[in-house]
Amino acid sequence: MIRKLFNKLVQHLSKKEFTILTGARQTGKTTLLNDLRKHCKQNGIPEIFINLENKMLLAELDANPLNLLAYLPNQEVKTIVFLDEIQYLSDPSNFLKLLFDEYNHLVKIVASGSSAFYIDSTFNDSLAGRKRIFNLFTCDFEEYLHLNGKGELWEEVARIKSQHHAKSLRLHELQLEWEGFMLYGGYPAVISEKSIPEKIEMLKEIRDSFVKRDIIESGVQNEIVFSCFVRAHFSSKLSH
């Protein structure tokens, strides 16, 4: 399934500004980058894909941002460089700023990373006018239905919306799908999983990943205290 944000990102590929894709973990950022990469290949646009979870590549780009240029297939033609998990760089703001200011004629960066990283004010201040941020959220109900192979139900929703006093013979089906969407959310991998117990385990893993990684990346120094605070906060909300 192609996400709704895909077309906006395709349109931005030709822009001078770097493209920054942000969102929570497991929302589908890497998949979306790969869809954009396929688009480039199909249209003859030079591209390379770098996953910064690769420690060797990360160390090389940390040592000198200009090491990136050696990976370009042709230094006479502008190349789309997909950088996945850019927050792992030691100084991503400076990395992007240097490449934009001196080499934007050779390189167009399309980078993804966690939401926590882009909250940092230094990132926004140093890259003003050099980047545009796109937020990828979990799937909405339309995407949920398409990912479940039930796109025809969304067509029924569209018909109901478009017709005054419209009624539907599939209302029960829609209610069941909506309940599932409300219970388990819009994470693509969770939607695709058919087993209910497995959906629950996947959601637990996503929760733990958020606590252990995104919170630390956002600058929280004491993970245990923060986790206790979150539990206390939600417990008080539920009690009221």
Side-chain angles (χ1 to χ4, degrees):
M1 183 195 72
I2 298 298
R3 300 294 297 274
K4 289 181 178 180
L5 192 57
F6 175 80
N7 288 331
K8 290 183 179 179
L9 292 171
V10 166
Q11 292 171 7
H12 201 252
L13 288 177
S14 61
K15 304 298 183 182
K16 183 178 179 180
E17 299 169 303
F18 287 172
T19 305
I20 309 297
L21 177 63
T22 180
R25 298 187 187 280
Q26 302 298 318
T27 52
K29 298 187 298 296
T30 300
T31 300
L32 191 46
L33 287 190
N34 278 309
D35 288 338
L36 289 169
R37 187 185 187 193
K38 290 176 186 176
H39 169 83
C40 290
K41 287 180 178 294
Q42 292 168 355
N43 290 275
I45 303 171
E47 54 76 29
I48 57 173
F49 190 101
I50 296 176
N51 186 343
L52 291 174
E53 288 187 314
N54 183 317
K55 302 301 182 185
M56 292 182 63
L57 288 171
L58 178 62
E60 189 171 3
L61 297 184
D62 266 337
N64 186 348
L66 300 187
N67 287 336
L68 177 69
L69 302 178
Y71 290 96
L72 301 184
N74 186 341
Q75 296 202 5
E76 295 182 358
V77 179
K78 193 168 186 176
T79 298
I80 306 292
V81 178
F82 294 101
L83 287 177
D84 201 15
E85 305 288 5
I86 195 174
Q87 77 275 2
Y88 290 136
L89 288 169
S90 60
D91 191 354
S93 297
N94 182 65
F95 177 91
L96 293 172
K97 185 175 183 297
L98 175 63
L99 288 171
F100 184 90
D101 289 346
E102 298 187 19
Y103 295 96
N104 68 72
H105 61 291
L106 283 180
V107 172
K108 163 66 182 250
I109 300 289
V110 180
S112 76
S114 65
S115 300
F117 166 70
Y118 300 110
I119 295 172
D120 188 347
S121 62
T122 60
F123 175 83
N124 288 306
D125 293 343
S126 63
L127 291 173
R130 300 177 175 89
K131 55 87 177 74
R132 180 177 172 190
I133 295 178
F134 293 83
N135 294 295
L136 180 65
F137 300 103
T138 54
C139 294
D140 61 18
F141 188 51
E142 179 181 358
E143 292 175 318
Y144 172 90
L145 289 174
H146 280 286
L147 197 53
N148 263 328
K150 297 182 179 180
E152 77 282 355
L153 280 178
W154 182 255
E155 293 175 7
E156 182 70 355
V157 172
R159 183 189 70 80
I160 295 169
K161 287 182 175 180
S162 65
Q163 296 179 13
H164 191 55
H165 298 310
K167 294 184 178 182
S168 175
L169 296 172
R170 307 189 70 178
L171 188 59
H172 181 63
E173 289 180 75
L174 284 168
Q175 287 175 333
L176 289 176
E177 293 298 333
W178 179 254
E179 288 173 6
F181 179 58
M182 289 290 97
L183 277 171
Y184 304 109
Y187 286 101
V190 178
I191 295 171
S192 300
E193 176 56 52
K194 302 305 179 186
S195 165
I196 298 302
E198 189 60 28
K199 283 180 183 285
I200 294 170
E201 289 303 314
M202 293 173 74
L203 286 169
K204 288 179 180 178
E205 290 179 8
I206 291 170
R207 175 201 63 193
D208 292 342
S209 174
F210 170 75
V211 171
K212 292 177 180 178
R213 298 177 69 179
D214 279 15
I215 288 174
I216 293 172
E217 287 175 13
S218 67
V220 173
Q221 297 181 354
N222 194 322
E223 175 191 335
I224 296 174
V225 171
F226 185 85
S227 298
C228 290
F229 168 78
V230 171
R231 289 192 185 95
H233 172 76
F234 282 106
S235 295
S236 66
K237 291 287 185 182
L238 290 172
S239 65
H240 288 85

